[in-house]
Amino acid sequence: MIFAKTLDKVRPGGVVAFITSKGTLDKQNDSVRKYLAERAELVGAVRLPNNAFKSIAGTEVTSDILFFQKRDELAVGAEPEWTKLGHTADGLQINK
């Protein structure tokens, strides 16, 4: 997983930004979110519209930019609110 390799190379306190599909935060399986939460603090997240890369890559996909600050130590069992899923008023499953 690219997230793991990147976080391993950053020193504690370092900040990493990932551009990824919305699946990282919205996927039913929470293993990636839990892995990240144990190793880094979520500093911020920005959801891009599905046409953000249309003119450059010719694709329509909803993407996120995620900012993490690496922890000094593993926070084993960390499950902050952003690792959980919720639903919109329309019933769409999304990250809390």
Side-chain angles (χ1 to χ4, degrees):
M1 164 177 38
I2 193 82
F3 298 119
K5 289 181 183 181
T6 302
L7 282 174
D8 285 347
K9 292 183 181 193
V10 175
R11 68 177 181 195
V15 176
V16 176
F18 296 111
I19 299 175
T20 183
S21 71
K22 70 177 186 140
T24 302
L25 291 182
D26 294 350
K27 194 179 294 183
Q28 182 74 30
N29 183 330
D30 63 358
S31 60
V32 171
R33 293 189 301 274
K34 287 181 178 182
Y35 180 91
L36 291 168
E38 287 182 344
R39 287 158 180 77
E41 184 74 33
L42 178 67
V43 177
V46 178
R47 175 134 305 164
L48 302 175
N50 69 342
N51 62 358
F53 297 106
K54 187 170 183 169
S55 65
I56 298 169
T59 185
E60 291 187 25
V61 61
T62 304
S63 304
D64 293 330
I65 303 174
L66 309 175
F67 299 90
F68 291 96
Q69 185 170 26
K70 186 171 180 178
R71 296 182 186 281
D72 292 334
E73 299 177 356
L74 280 180
V76 178
E79 291 190 40
E81 198 66 18
W82 64 268
T83 64
K84 297 171 178 57
L85 296 178
H87 292 85
T88 66
D90 299 333
L92 296 173
Q93 183 173 287
I94 62 168
N95 180 272
K96 286 189 175 185

